[in-house]
Amino acid sequence: MELGVGSLRGNSPTRLAMSAGELLAAFEATPLDALTAEAQALTLEGHGAIVTYSRKVFIPLTKLCRDVCHYCTFAQTPAKAAAAYLSRDEVLAIARAGAALGCREALFTLGDRPEARYPAAREALAALGHETTLSYLAEVAALVFDETGLLPHLNPGLMDAADYAALRPHSASMGIMLESASDRLCTKGEAHYGSPDKEPARRLASIAAAGEAGVPFTTGLLIGIGETRLERIEALLAIRDLNERYGHIQEVIIQNFRAKSGTKMADRAEPTLEDHVWTIAAARLILGPDMTIQAPPNLHDRSALGELIRAGVNDWGGVSPLTPDHVNPEAPWPHLEVLADATADAGRALRQRLAIGPRHAQQATRWCDPRIAPAVLRAVDGRGLPKDSDWAVGHGDAVPELAPAPATEAVARILERARDGERLDEAAMARLFTADGDDFDAVCAQADALRAEVVGETVTYAVNRNINYTNICLYRCGFCAFSKGSTKAMRGPAYRLDFAEIGRRAAEAVERGATEVCLQGGIHPDYDGNTYLDIVAAVKAAAPGIHVHAFSPLEVMHGARTLGLSLEDFLTRLKHAGLATLPGTAAEILDPAVREILCPDKVTAHEWLEVMRAAHSVGLRTTATIMFGHVEQYRHWARHLAQVRSLQEETGGFTEFVPLPFVHMEAPIWRKGLARSGPSYREAVLMHAIARIVLHPVLTNIQVSWVKLGPDAAAAVLAAGANDLGGTLMDESITRAAGGVNGQEFGPAEMIALARSAGRPARQRTTLYELVPDNHPAMTE
């Protein structure tokens, strides 16, 4: 029986319905190279070219154990152990040394409840002020996290609901190896005889309890300890079923038994590399493309690592630059450079992960205790992996160099579809956002070529002035550090400009060569629709020729509702008063689930689109924006872009698309530990490049915000599809209030120099993208 893509890959109905015996028959009837080819295709589908590892320290809190597994050299008796438990100082010394070497994880390895077997363990715990091993573990895990920032991963053996509840606040993840689902291995003469904690039913119950407790969990198989291949498949199906019920399995380890001298299984034959490869491939085919499948890289020669990758491995587990593998001390960890080279030889790229796997890190507020979640969210990008550099939006950092990674067929195919004029679906767009290394370069190159074809080489910019007329706001958007909740000072003084001052600033802008004023503010409790009409009137009275670019959809919705007018009627009144275009802010992410977290009382995604549709219907052009890098995922970015494109196809009213990276430093939601630290540099560049590709040909202008990214990163984005630098601003308060270092003014000379640094000419434009004559005042300053 040959495996087929439609029969056994991924979550196909056929595969899900097959019994362990049927799966075994199918796998064994398939040549190994065909089996691994199917597994590798699934792995690439789910994880691309990335293979992860965790840089960690191993903390063997105790080597005492109540079990007597016949292959284990980790567990010791009190007579052989130097001390029953590591002291607090010893634990911290290991953790601090690891942190100094760049580790992010503290893996606590220990025996299972030794106090149930050894009086020496009970006495040692009493001296430490504890009754149980798990109680002491909770204390030292909390100590390590608080003192070093390392994320604890705990492997303390069997646990129940109360145990998970006690340990969850002090760990990012936990784990227990299922090893086998075979009761036969617990009988006399087998590997687990005399080890009641290895009974499969008890271990499966413990894994299920972790799911009920919402704990990101690591489990896996130990192959070669006497089990059959059928029993391996039964164990994998049990793991799959638990994960389908709870979604908590973050990784499955397929570990090969190593015979150790001094144990009862010292003469047991070890599984062959071929057998290990077969089991990894079976695990991938059973568990599907999204599961992380791990194999320890120190239990085979370097030459075998490529075969493990091709069989379905996408993670090497924990690799320590400091401490040995206490479970397999005879097998030292490969140096990270060697591991990276071996991974590259297999056509993949090595990337670091956290103790919590990327799928669960993306939803850290769900899967982690509130003590732990902020540390996870602040460390990762939208993939759930640690950010690729220390670069951050608003910091003014130098542009980082990105690590290499090989190209993938999946991204190449998507780019080819886009070149052929196909409108990309959300899944394809989301896949592009994972682009790394050569894939990243390919996306940027295609976007830049498309930019050159559509709008040419000239970089445009507008000379404008921002007038933020009040920072007092009724709303509580989690990302906003600009608004104040009332007239009382919060995070700086609250203010409200009067109409005379608004007009004065507009007139001054004209004197300084501006063609546009951009007006936005908070939703002041005293404002109604007439206020916005009066603001426009004040600007036009003071500066009759200025282009008025004003009012987010939130302000438009507020104004219409307070006057009891339809959106079209209110927008028509604004237009007659002198409003020329609308900014597309307040879009954030056009997805209800994201907005429920980020800005639950603001305009909905549907309402934002309705305001834009109404504006376009009365002849008002608008911009479109996205604010990204906080609580959302790549699929939300894709959904947002799809909705912008759909409305543009319907109305043609958008003048430009403006990605606005989240500036996190003073944002309330970040300070509460509920958001990521803005997009990574890779993601910030990709947003502009992918927008160019997926919005083509309906929206031709892609703007990069020098205010958010800074000049160096903005110049890099000009080589990734962007053709516009936005406005010179003269004043800008919102980004600086959020902690950004840019934002006051970036004049025409600076705009021209920035474009020149990217090898491009620059010209001033109007709001509607008409070029301004060279003799305009702003061009002759």
Side-chain angles (χ1 to χ4, degrees):
M1 175 180 177
E2 288 285 334
L3 282 179
V5 172
S7 62
L8 295 179
R9 287 188 57 190
N11 294 317
S12 68
T14 300
R15 182 186 64 80
L16 294 174
M18 292 177 76
S19 68
E22 290 169 332
L23 285 167
L24 177 63
F27 293 160
E28 292 199 325
T30 305
L32 185 59
D33 58 351
L35 196 74
T36 57
E38 291 285 350
Q40 178 167 226
L42 269 185
T43 308
L44 290 169
E45 177 187 329
H47 302 278
I50 300 303
V51 177
T52 51
Y53 79 100
S54 177
R55 192 179 181 97
K56 65 175 71 172
V57 289
F58 289 73
I59 302 178
L61 189 63
T62 178
K63 292 188 175 183
L64 304 182
C65 184
R66 63 181 175 180
D67 292 314
V68 288
C69 300
H70 301 314
Y71 47 79
C72 179
T73 58
F74 175 77
Q76 298 178 358
T77 62
K80 293 183 178 179
Y85 294 86
L86 294 179
S87 70
R88 297 172 180 87
D89 288 343
E90 289 171 323
V91 168
L92 274 180
I94 295 171
R96 286 174 175 145
L101 291 173
C103 295
R104 295 176 179 267
E105 175 183 346
L107 169 59
F108 283 85
T109 55
L110 57 156
D112 199 321
R113 301 180 194 258
E115 66 272 20
R117 181 179 181 185
Y118 296 116
R122 295 192 290 274
E123 293 167 4
L125 286 169
L128 291 165
H130 290 273
E131 291 186 0
T132 68
T133 298
L134 295 187
S135 173
Y136 183 48
L137 174 62
E139 181 197 339
V140 292
L143 190 65
V144 164
F145 177 69
D146 291 339
E147 293 291 325
T148 70
L150 296 182
L151 294 172
H153 174 84
L154 312 181
N155 285 335
L158 292 181
M159 292 184 284
D160 59 22
D163 299 327
Y164 286 119
L167 291 172
R168 189 174 186 267
H170 313 300
S171 64
S173 56
M174 303 185 213
I176 185 172
M177 291 288 282
L178 174 59
E179 296 194 8
S180 172
S182 172
D183 291 320
R184 183 178 57 80
L185 294 187
C186 296
T187 60
K188 190 172 184 178
E190 297 295 338
H192 290 154
Y193 179 68
S195 300
D197 295 325
K198 293 300 177 76
E199 293 176 5
R202 299 186 69 191
R203 295 179 91 77
L204 288 169
S206 187
I207 298 170
E212 292 170 355
V215 172
F217 209 74
T218 297
T219 189
L221 276 58
L222 179 61
I223 67 168
I225 56 174
E227 81 293 344
T228 65
R229 282 186 169 182
L230 177 63
E231 288 168 338
R232 293 178 196 173
I233 291 176
E234 289 171 341
L236 289 168
L237 289 176
I239 292 170
R240 184 196 70 185
D241 292 345
L242 285 171
N243 189 56
E244 288 178 350
R245 189 185 313 168
Y246 301 110
H248 67 308
I249 304 297
Q250 63 173 5
E251 59 194 354
V252 174
I253 305 170
I254 308 298
Q255 182 169 332
N256 51 313
F257 161 75
R258 294 288 297 265
K260 298 175 177 63
S261 61
T263 69
K264 291 185 178 181
M265 295 176 64
D267 296 329
R268 176 72 63 93
E270 297 177 352
T272 64
L273 174 61
E274 180 179 291
D275 195 25
H276 197 189
V277 164
W278 183 93
T279 309
I280 291 168
R284 173 60 69 197
L285 290 165
I286 289 170
L287 298 172
D290 296 330
M291 180 58 69
T292 287
I293 294 181
Q294 179 191 130
N298 59 322
L299 302 185
H300 283 291
D301 293 337
R302 179 200 185 283
S303 59
L305 299 186
E307 293 188 53
L308 303 184
I309 288 175
R310 285 184 286 274
V313 162
N314 69 289
D315 185 79
W316 292 127
V319 178
S320 179
L322 178 69
T323 50
D325 180 350
H326 292 281
V327 178
N328 297 284
E330 78 288 352
W333 299 112
H335 291 294
L336 285 174
E337 294 80 3
V338 173
L339 191 61
D341 289 345
T343 304
D345 289 345
R348 309 292 174 85
L350 190 65
R351 292 287 187 273
Q352 190 177 169
R353 62 164 171 85
L354 301 181
I356 177 174
R359 286 182 294 115
H360 294 81
Q362 289 174 329
Q363 303 178 67
T365 53
R366 173 189 174 191
W367 288 105
C368 295
D369 186 84
R371 264 177 47 83
I372 302 293
V376 173
L377 285 174
R378 290 169 177 173
V380 300
D381 63 12
R383 299 175 294 182
L385 295 176
K387 294 178 75 172
D388 43 39
S389 70
D390 291 332
W391 182 92
V393 175
H395 275 189
D397 299 323
V399 171
E401 182 176 347
L402 300 181
T408 62
E409 291 184 11
V411 167
R413 286 195 301 267
I414 294 168
L415 292 176
E416 183 177 3
R417 287 163 52 192
R419 279 194 299 271
D420 291 342
E422 180 180 336
R423 177 173 177 173
L424 299 181
D425 57 25
E426 289 182 12
M429 284 187 268
R431 179 66 180 84
L432 287 182
F433 280 114
T434 69
D436 205 339
D438 290 348
D439 280 342
F440 173 89
D441 292 341
V443 172
C444 293
Q446 182 156 320
D448 196 47
L450 189 57
R451 181 272 310 158
E453 173 189 330
V454 172
V455 293
E457 294 299 312
T458 300
V459 175
T460 51
Y461 65 92
V463 177
N464 66 351
R465 182 172 199 171
N466 264 26
I467 303 177
N468 303 125
Y469 41 78
T470 184
N471 62 353
I472 299 168
C473 189
L474 294 168
Y475 291 84
R476 300 288 187 277
C477 299
F479 58 85
C480 183
F482 170 74
S483 69
K484 309 294 179 260
S486 70
T487 54
K488 295 180 181 179
M490 295 171 59
R491 302 190 308 271
Y495 69 84
R496 173 183 178 177
L497 302 182
D498 59 29
F499 297 139
E501 176 60 17
I502 293 171
R504 187 196 68 76
R505 294 190 184 192
E508 184 179 72
V510 172
E511 293 173 3
R512 296 178 59 185
T515 61
E516 170 198 308
V517 287
C518 178
L519 299 113
Q520 295 181 95
I523 306 299
H524 195 287
D526 295 338
Y527 282 11
D528 62 14
N530 289 318
T531 309
Y532 301 115
L533 291 165
D534 291 341
I535 288 172
V536 176
V539 170
K540 297 302 285 186
I546 200 77
H547 182 107
V548 181
H549 183 65
F551 311 135
S552 72
L554 176 61
E555 292 164 290
V556 171
M557 184 74 73
H558 176 73
R561 285 174 175 170
T562 55
L563 296 184
L565 298 173
S566 68
L567 289 171
E568 289 81 3
D569 287 345
F570 182 57
L571 286 162
T572 298
R573 289 194 186 187
L574 288 171
K575 182 180 179 183
H576 289 160
L579 180 65
T581 54
L582 273 70
T585 49
E588 324 324 346
I589 298 291
L590 295 174
D591 181 272
V594 174
R595 298 180 82 82
E596 184 61 31
I597 300 169
L598 198 64
C599 48
D601 58 349
K602 204 170 187 176
V603 290
T604 66
H606 174 74
E607 288 169 339
W608 187 92
L609 291 165
E610 284 303 300
V611 172
M612 295 289 101
R613 182 177 286 107
H616 299 168
S617 74
V618 302
L620 289 170
R621 304 286 300 278
T622 73
T623 65
T625 66
I626 184 172
M627 198 266 287
F628 64 104
H630 35 81
V631 302
E632 79 292 10
Q633 297 177 27
Y634 293 163
R635 59 189 172 90
H636 299 121
W637 297 358
R639 191 165 303 152
H640 185 106
L641 287 170
Q643 292 183 88
V644 169
R645 173 166 178 141
S646 292
L647 186 56
Q648 182 71 346
E649 288 173 336
E650 176 188 335
T651 68
F654 291 127
T655 56
E656 63 197 358
F657 183 72
V658 189
L660 299 172
F662 174 55
V663 181
H664 68 276
M665 289 78 79
E666 297 297 329
I669 195 169
W670 184 85
R671 292 175 70 86
K672 293 176 183 176
L674 301 176
R676 301 196 303 276
S677 300
S680 67
Y681 173 76
R682 182 190 64 85
E683 292 170 324
V685 175
L686 279 175
M687 178 60 77
H688 297 79
I690 293 169
R692 167 64 68 188
I693 291 168
V694 304
L695 296 177
H696 176 74
V698 297
L699 217 171
T700 57
N701 296 306
I702 305 297
Q703 183 183 120
V704 55
S705 173
W706 63 265
V707 179
K708 307 289 186 184
L709 295 182
D712 290 345
V717 172
L718 290 177
N723 66 294
D724 187 76
L725 290 170
T728 58
L729 298 186
M730 299 186 192
D731 305 280
E732 200 279 339
S733 305
I734 295 172
T735 296
R736 291 179 70 83
V741 300
N742 305 303
Q744 286 302 96
E745 182 170 7
F746 200 71
E750 288 84 1
M751 291 285 194
I752 293 168
L754 196 163
R756 187 179 296 123
S757 72
R760 307 260 289 279
R763 285 287 303 274
Q764 184 186 350
R765 62 162 173 87
T766 67
T767 309
L768 295 175
Y769 282 82
E770 297 169 345
L771 294 180
V772 172
D774 289 339
N775 61 357
H776 188 272
M779 301 297 293
T780 58
E781 289 182 342

